[in-house]
Amino acid sequence: MEHVPPPAEELARLDRELAELDARRAQLLTRRAWLLAALRPPAPTAAPGWNPSGWGAPAAGRPGAPAQPWGYVPPKQPSAPRSAQNVLLTLGGLLLTVAAIAFTLVSWGSMGIGGRSAVLAAVTVGALAAPVVLLRRGLTATAEALAALALVLTLLDAYAVHAVAAPDTDGLGFTAVAAAVLAALWTAYGLALGKLHLPLPAAVVLAQWPLLFGAWAAGAPALVVGWALLATAVLDGAIALWGKGTGARVTACLGGSVMAFSALMVGLTLSVTASGPLGALAPGVLLLTAAAAALAGAWRAPRGFARAGGVVAGLAVVAAVGGVPAAAVPEGWRVLAYLLAGLAPAAVVRARLPRNAAIGVLVASAAVVAGALVGALPGLAAVLLGPVTLLSDVWSGSPEGFRSAVGSTLPWSELAATPVVLALVAGLLGAAYRWWPSLARIAAPLIAREEPGSGAGPAGAPGTGTPEAGGAAAPGVSGAPWYAGGAPAARRRPSGAALRGAAGAGAAVLGWGALLLSGAVLDVPYAVAVAGETLLVAGLLALAVRGAGSGRDGSAAVPVTALVVALAAAVSTGLLSLASEGASYAVFGALTALFAGAAVRAGAGVPRAVFAVAATVGGTVLSGFAGRSLGLAPHEAAPLVLLVPALTVLFGARLRRNPVALPVELTGALGALVAVALAVPDAPFLALVLALCGVLAAGAAVRPERRPVAGYLAAALFVLATWVRLAASEVSFPEAYTLPVTVPALVVGFLRRRKDPGASSWTAYGPGLAATLLPSLAVAWTDPDWQRPLLLGVAALVITLLGARYRLQALLLLGGAVLALDGLHELAPYVVQVAGALPRWLPPALAGLLLLVVGATYEQRLRDARRLKDALGRMR
């Protein structure tokens, strides 16, 4: 018999075994963790106590300790999370603040004047004194919370003083005085308790309002308000540069930016709306003072702020200097006054300003010039795009003036200064392009100048890192400065050749725009406008050809820009000439001659091809004009349009493998497409045009390099012309006309294959078979009888079998396609009948099932398709 222990003894035994299992499990887990740590590779990052940039650093926390090995730093002690503490302190401070506000606003009337003053004074003094004690005990976060409460209490004290002690005082004036007093109080408090971060930024915020509210309370004019804003901005700038604490300096920077912007807006508004030059002087003084303050701050500011200060200073100087003459001239000429003032700050390249501040001033000058040029865009757009309206009424008669031809309703009197602005900027850019080396030498001091406090010596001192300054150039960096076109320095700068090219390109574009707008502003006669624009195109083409040929400046910007602008000007001039028949012939004839001459004079490359293509387009347009002058209908004029494509084929044969030949021939092919489109309304003319196009393609196919494409194209055009001719003649039995062509074509193809077994079946048999099969198929689809589809199907079947037997690709594909389409024609009525009898849900279901089957066997179908492709490719 087996002994069974009592339940209590068995329970005790189970507890002991479970305890032993738990202990063993703990031992195994400990061993497992040790093994994982031993097998884990060392971390690639620096471990605590390792500093890759130090050598012999003393151990932290042990004054006088010996130097540790290279790169050693003591490990950081983990700091306890303070998020919960911050949340509690914030909530506590917020509740105390709400309580103080409620006490001041709600419970104020239930106490006497003495009690009220005593309570607020005691609470405020306590809130101000508590951070002192807390800071001594290291409770910084709690001290910050009570300091915030003290700030709110001081604001409530000010409100209480005004409500009780001076209720009749003007609110704005009292607010200005209170803000000044509180700003001073909190500044002293923040300086006394340097560990607190809130008092000094709060003092800076309060310091924004005394001068502004004071001027507002005194009913000062807008100019005085502007001075108050500027003075506040200057104070903020001083705090941002020399203030204590990052929070105070950032707050001062933000406040100063807002105040300075407001002051500039006040000065600019007063200057623009001044009634005369004398009225613009006082706002100008304000703007000049703001510019001086911005430059003074830029001397010690970091790079980004220094450049921003230079931009502000430059814009303020432009507004101040340009506002005085702008107030004395008509409204349309004010932009010129500001433009001249905007060019003046460019003299800073010789001034002893910090480099970043000078760059900011130059950016401001460039922004003013760009703004003046933007004002010319509406006029240029009107002159360039206005002639598009003449497309709907070609040769309607010469208009009286340039403006009527343009058809724009712009206020041209207000754009009187626009051509002068464009001409002035174009002249300056042209001068910069002409005398670029001298300007580069003038700008050298600005480029080599170092920033204060950058750690590098002045220009010419050792260590500046430039060869001019006596320092060694960095490895791989050219000693030539970037403004002279040398290799880029450590930081990528634009090369001198690129800058010079940009200046030349800008001069070309702006000069053309100035001359173009001058005609619209002066409203010159139509003939003068057309002749002037044509001469402008000639000048631009001469510049493009000369620049592309010489390459003297080392930059392609000028010739490329001149080429692009010449094309745009040619399109605009051509559209403008459509108002008169004589002007159209004169302009397009001149443009064709100019572009052809430019193509002859230009060097080999893209410019020559572009010129040749433009000349071809001009000739095509002239041929279209000839048909209109002869009174021909569009389809009757189509053969005339083919004259230029015929010349391009001869031109291509003359040039042979010249790179210009292909673009010209492609342009002629586009002209042939235009002729085909014109002949579409009349079938006989369409057949004639298609046949002529086939002749041109056959002529191009004589050349070996064009034969692979032009040969097939010629065959297709001839066949298509035949079909169109048969359809136009309403032939019901096309086989009577096509079989006499097909039989000899197949005989010629058979002889060609016997002489050259490697010849393609498409070349030998394709044209002959297509000449009969395809027209017969087209007629069979409209034939209600059964004889023609049957005979066509039998013939297609025989051709398909012959193609498969002798491995001829043309016979197999043509015969199979015709057989399939012919069978589809015969089955179409039954398919329609069955489709009408089927439920509507069945076709989508069958289509979905088909897609599922194809998707499931996609890889197999893909392999089958590849095998079929390979088999067809092996056929001739």
Side-chain angles (χ1 to χ4, degrees), residues 348-715:
V348 299
V349 296
R350 303 296 295 176
R352 300 304 302 173
L353 286 177
R355 179 174 177 271
N356 287 314
I359 289 176
V361 175
L362 292 178
V363 170
S365 178
V368 172
V369 175
L373 296 179
V374 168
L377 292 180
L380 282 175
V383 173
L384 288 175
L385 302 179
V388 176
T389 57
L390 296 174
L391 289 173
S392 60
D393 197 9
V394 179
W395 295 355
S396 59
S398 300
E400 296 181 358
F402 193 11
R403 296 182 188 175
S404 58
V406 171
S408 175
T409 58
L410 287 176
W412 293 105
S413 59
E414 298 180 4
L415 299 176
T418 303
V420 181
V421 170
L422 295 177
L424 178 60
V425 180
L428 292 175
L429 291 177
Y433 177 77
R434 174 65 179 82
W435 292 289
W436 180 259
S438 301
L439 292 177
R441 286 193 296 271
I442 294 175
L446 171 63
I447 298 166
R449 195 175 304 152
E450 296 292 339
E451 285 301 312
S454 62
T464 54
T466 59
E468 307 90 353
V477 178
S478 172
W482 66 270
Y483 52 84
R491 249 181 300 171
R492 186 73 178 174
R493 297 188 178 100
S495 65
L499 293 175
R500 184 184 185 188
V509 174
L510 295 179
W512 166 72
L515 295 175
L516 201 62
L517 274 180
S518 299
V521 171
L522 298 176
D523 196 17
V524 298
Y526 173 73
V528 176
V530 172
E533 289 201 22
T534 307
L535 292 177
L536 285 178
V537 175
L540 290 169
L541 288 177
L543 182 60
V545 172
R546 181 183 177 186
S550 65
R552 176 174 52 84
D553 60 346
S555 172
V558 175
V560 169
T561 304
L563 174 58
V564 173
V565 176
L567 293 175
V571 173
S572 178
T573 307
L575 293 175
L576 185 65
S577 68
L578 295 179
S580 170
E581 182 178 1
S584 299
Y585 278 106
V587 168
F588 278 94
L591 292 178
T592 303
L594 287 173
F595 279 105
V600 173
R601 294 294 303 274
V606 175
R608 168 174 284 186
V610 173
F611 294 144
V613 167
T616 305
V617 172
T620 305
V621 175
L622 284 175
S623 63
F625 287 164
R628 184 180 178 89
S629 298
L630 294 174
L632 301 177
H635 62 275
E636 296 174 339
L640 287 177
V641 179
L642 291 177
L643 291 176
V644 174
L647 293 176
T648 61
V649 172
L650 297 176
F651 183 76
R654 176 70 175 82
L655 292 181
R656 295 186 180 276
R657 297 185 182 276
N658 193 297
V660 179
L662 181 59
V664 171
E665 290 181 88
L666 291 178
T667 307
L670 292 178
L673 287 178
V674 173
V676 172
L678 292 175
V680 165
D682 189 272
F685 267 94
L686 179 59
L688 174 62
V689 170
L690 290 173
L692 292 176
C693 291
V695 172
L696 296 179
V702 174
R703 299 158 55 194
E705 66 273 12
R706 300 286 186 263
R707 188 170 302 156
V709 176
Y712 290 111
L713 181 61

Side-chain angles (χ1 to χ4, degrees), residues 162 183 202 231 245 275 367 445 508 584 717 848:
H162 179 266
S275 58
S584 299
L717 288 172

